[in-house]
Amino acid sequence: MGIVHAGTGKDLNEARAAHFLETPKGRVGVVGMFSVDDISSFGPNYEGAEATYRVGYTGGAPGVNPLHLTPSTS
């Protein structure tokens, strides 16, 4: 179907990778991430959705590329 997505993958390396779409007018780069915090409706259980790194022969967990946020009142 030609759909390009980014920000998710079979492990954290794939979730953090940029993906590209070749078009007649040039290459389009796509980068995606998911912001996580303890305030949103997604709540403190976001860890279940985070992808993890592949370590040696052990595959990482599939999921999203997290962007951790720390609220600041300054």
Side-chain angles (χ1 to χ4, degrees):
M1 302 218 93
I3 298 172
V4 175
H5 76 281
T8 62
K10 65 181 180 185
D11 57 32
L12 191 54
N13 293 335
E14 186 175 290
R16 286 186 172 174
H19 293 262
F20 301 93
L21 173 66
E22 297 292 338
T23 72
K25 293 188 176 187
R27 180 182 293 176
V28 178
V30 180
V31 177
M33 67 199 78
F34 181 82
S35 61
V36 294
D37 61 43
D38 291 337
I39 298 171
S40 69
S41 60
F42 199 52
N45 297 322
Y46 63 83
E47 293 168 343
E50 288 185 27
T52 60
Y53 283 111
R54 180 181 173 93
V55 178
Y57 294 110
T58 305
V64 299
N65 177 21
L67 173 66
H68 291 274
L69 301 176
T70 303
S72 175
T73 58
S74 55

